[in-house]
Amino acid sequence: MPKATIIDGKAVAAKVRNEVKERIELLKAQNKRIPCLAVLLVGDDPASTIYVRNKMKACTEVGMLSLPVILPAETSEDALLSKIKELNEDPNVDGILVQLPLPRHIDSQKVTKAISPAKDADAFHPINVGLSRLGEPSFLPCTPSGVIRLLDEYGVEISGRNCVVIGRSNIVGKPVADMLLARNGTVTVCHSKTQNISEYTKNADIIVVAVGKAKMLTGDMIKEGCTVIDVGINRIDGKLYGDCDFISCAEKASFITPVPGGVGPMTIAMLLENTMRAYGSI
Ligand code: GUN
């Protein structure tokens, strides 16, 4: 039997989505404009197609409008940039996201920078990255803010605790580390060049693992009573695994997220919340 409380990301995500739904119902009752998220997909990558479909379905479920912009793989960078410009200027569009990865002939950084920072539902624009680093009001990236929300919902104290983030991606590792630091955690970032990761994880109260390597964090690497947040999604023979070895970690941790059903559902929930922020309702 696992010792750990299993953090129910599906339930917390449902709560966040419900909060958004209630706000939209209120807007509808007041005959106000309904928030709208534009979702751009270039090409037909199967995983991206599913992600985009799930994002639009989530919008519909909470009563939010979604504007799908599905473009062929051979769309030119200029054509994509002018579509983004049009959406930036459209007063009925609140949030804009461009599903990544983009086809190789398109410069994703250029595209990310073309989205108005005020409509940046993914919070990937350098302006939002910079503002959040400075602790100023800004959009926050969805998966990292989902991680923090899970810790808060389960009453896991961050202030003064040893936090170890494994992974240093721009989308997860770096922003999670910043957010834990902003909440007064003592933060260490480990990565592929870190020697002896378990020296760090053994002293950690909170471990966030986001490296994309199945079962890399094992029970013998962690402290009794710690919290493990697993951001990994690794598909092996059609089955999903996180970055931690759930069985051995759950025997020692106090709190742990499962995969699937942990951090995953939070990402879309926070995307909806960001769109509400872009609308001006939060
Ligand atoms: N591709 C993988 N993750 C994401 C994400 O969070 N946002 C976007 N736009 N594309 C992604």
Side-chain angles (χ1 to χ4, degrees):
M1 274 297 279
K3 167 179 176 287
T5 296
I6 295 169
I7 295 181
D8 188 347
K10 263 194 184 164
V12 178
K15 183 176 165 188
V16 172
R17 286 155 78 138
N18 210 42
E19 286 163 8
V20 171
K21 189 170 178 218
E22 282 174 4
R23 278 198 217 105
I24 293 178
E25 276 164 8
L26 196 64
L27 293 171
K28 284 184 178 164
Q30 296 167 334
N31 274 324
K32 298 236 174 86
R33 189 177 64 77
I34 303 304
C36 174
L37 175 67
V39 182
L40 286 81
L41 173 66
V42 185
D44 55 5
D45 174 72
S48 292
T49 304
I50 293 170
Y51 286 132
V52 161
R53 195 184 303 144
N54 288 342
K55 288 171 186 181
M56 295 197 304
K57 187 164 157 255
C59 289
T60 308
E61 280 168 7
V62 298
M64 186 181 278
L65 298 173
S66 68
L67 176 62
V69 181
I70 314 294
L71 302 167
E74 54 280 6
T75 301
S76 70
E77 186 179 279
D78 278 349
L80 178 59
L81 292 172
S82 66
K83 186 70 206 171
I84 292 171
K85 185 167 183 290
E86 187 188 304
L87 296 166
N88 283 342
E89 289 164 2
D90 186 338
N92 291 314
V93 170
D94 301 285
I96 302 171
L97 84 78
V98 178
Q99 187 64 31
L100 302 175
L102 287 165
R104 275 214 299 272
H105 66 277
I106 298 178
D107 178 349
S108 339
Q109 273 309 315
K110 209 165 160 184
V111 169
T112 298
K113 288 178 194 164
I115 296 171
S116 161
K119 296 192 175 188
D120 183 21
D122 266 328
F124 292 164
H125 192 290
I127 295 256
N128 284 313
V129 175
L131 287 172
S132 61
R133 190 95 219 259
L134 293 168
E136 291 192 30
S138 69
F139 290 101
L140 294 171
C142 303
T143 303
S145 52
V147 167
I148 302 294
R149 180 74 183 246
L150 288 177
L151 294 172
D152 285 347
E153 287 284 335
Y154 280 80
V156 177
E157 176 78 19
I158 300 171
S159 180
R161 313 288 294 281
N162 288 337
C163 306
V164 168
V165 178
I166 312 175
R168 54 174 157 177
S169 71
N170 289 331
I171 294 183
V172 182
K174 285 184 203 169
V176 161
D178 272 352
M179 289 183 204
L180 292 166
L181 182 59
R183 299 283 292 270
N184 300 313
T186 301
V187 182
T188 305
V189 180
C190 297
H191 47 77
S192 53
K193 297 287 188 289
T194 303
Q195 313 256 321
N196 240 326
I197 285 185
S198 63
E199 272 178 31
Y200 302 93
T201 53
K202 274 184 176 153
N203 286 317
D205 302 304
I206 298 171
I207 303 169
V208 180
V209 56
V211 288
K213 219 165 115 186
K215 301 191 184 189
M216 70 82 66
L217 184 75
T218 48
D220 57 318
M221 297 169 70
I222 68 172
K223 187 168 82 167
E224 285 282 342
C226 71
T227 294
V228 177
I229 305 289
D230 188 347
V231 189
I233 301 178
N234 306 289
R235 198 178 290 273
I236 303 171
D237 296 331
K239 196 170 178 306
L240 290 186
Y241 295 88
D243 289 347
C244 84
D245 176 43
F246 185 82
I247 293 180
S248 63
C249 288
E251 278 170 11
K252 278 174 101 177
S254 286
F255 294 96
I256 188 166
T257 58
V259 174
V263 175
M266 293 303 293
T267 300
I268 292 184
M270 303 320 278
L271 175 69
L272 299 175
E273 215 181 78
N274 274 353
T275 308
M276 294 307 281
R277 186 163 290 122
Y279 177 89
S281 147
I282 297 182

